[in-house]
């Protein structure tokens, strides 16, 4: 779903189960980047400036020009882009809001699984706010300050984080093959790469 586009960039609503960028092998070529290439033939070869996990749905911005890619990449690098995610967690989360600081790294023997490692891990930082509780599940809003792989999934599930995995998470929770991960990139704001005007986009989760 194309949320917005102009000559510089495109904002899409990525469905769960779709790769952000091509993977290895012919069966992993259907992805956001290749779909954008087909819709916008003049798009640069590498338009992605950030990624969402395959299982995560929601808003992504992709650059159509080299100048826009550079401008947007700097905004992400300098943490000037604001991002919110909505997630449903399996269990009741204590407290109403807080910050999670948790170092973790890739488990090289079990890719793409990420493991807690206070010595060699790189620290991820996430702000969270409880929105509601229903049927032993907690809806939260996450604001990731860093952008580590599987950050929100690890911060949700790990006992040193919230200790409650995201509903449908097959890696860190009780999700089964085919289950929907209840994690959605719901808000994205940044400045226009050509005129520097502030822009914001919102997409409500389907769960």
């Amino acid at each position: 779903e194309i949320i917005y586009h102009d000559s510089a960039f495109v904002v899409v609503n990525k469905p769960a189960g779709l790769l952000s960028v091509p993977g290895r092998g012919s069966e992993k070529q259907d992805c956001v980047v290749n779909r954008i290439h087909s819709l916008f033939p003049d798009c640069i070869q590498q338009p992605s400036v950030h990624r969402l996990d395959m299982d995560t749905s929601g808003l992504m911005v992709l650059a159509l020009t080299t100048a826009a890619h550079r401008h947007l990449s700097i905004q992400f690098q300098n943490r000037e882009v604001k991002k919110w995610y909505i997630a449903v967690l399996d269990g009741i989360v204590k407290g109403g809001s807080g910050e999670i600081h948790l170092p973790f790294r890739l488990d090289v023997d079990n890719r793409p699984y990420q493991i807690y490692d206070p010595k060699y891990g790189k620290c991820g930082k996430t702000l969270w706010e409880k929105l509601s509780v229903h049927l032993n599940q907690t809806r939260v809003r996450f604001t990731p300050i860093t952008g580590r792989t599987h950050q929100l999934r690890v911060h949700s599930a790990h006992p040193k984080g919230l200790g409650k995995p995201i509903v449908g998470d097959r890696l860190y929770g009780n999700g089964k093959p085919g289950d929907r991960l209840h994690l959605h990139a719901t808000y994205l704001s940044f400045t226009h790469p050509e005129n520097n005007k502030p822009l914001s986009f919102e997409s409500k989760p389907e769960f």
Side-chain angles (χ1 to χ4, degrees), residues 3-41:
I3 301 294
Y4 172 89
H5 75 89
D6 61 18
S7 60
F9 67 91
V10 182
V11 175
V12 304
N13 187 22
K14 186 186 88 67
L18 181 67
L19 289 167
S20 293
V21 299
R24 293 181 180 176
S26 58
E27 76 283 359
K28 294 183 179 179
Q29 295 308 298
D30 184 23
C31 62
V32 173
V33 164
N34 284 343
R35 291 187 184 188
I36 291 300
H37 281 152
S38 67
L39 292 170
F40 301 90

Side-chain angles (χ1 to χ4, degrees), residues 1-2 14 16 23 26 31 37 58-59 82 92 116 130 134 136 139 151 161 164 166 172-173 182 193 195 197 199 202:
E1 180 188 1
I2 304 293
K14 186 186 88 67
S26 58
C31 62
H37 281 152
L59 296 173
K82 292 182 180 179
I92 307 300
Y116 172 72
K130 182 191 290 184
H134 181 66
N136 201 44
R139 181 176 291 263
Q151 177 173 315
K164 309 294 179 187
I166 297 173
Y172 306 98
H182 283 49
N195 57 33
K197 288 185 178 180
L199 300 168
E202 196 158 359

Side-chain angles (χ1 to χ4, degrees), residues 69-107:
H69 189 280
R70 185 183 305 111
H71 195 288
L72 290 168
S73 295
I74 290 172
Q75 290 186 59
F76 274 94
Q77 184 177 335
N78 293 341
R79 298 177 184 172
E80 296 166 353
V81 177
K82 292 182 180 179
K83 297 176 288 180
W84 298 338
Y85 292 73
I86 298 296
V88 177
L89 275 50
D90 191 4
I92 307 300
V93 174
K94 295 179 181 179
S97 63
E99 291 186 16
I100 303 168
H101 299 261
L102 205 62
F104 58 97
R105 62 169 175 82
L106 175 68
D107 182 352

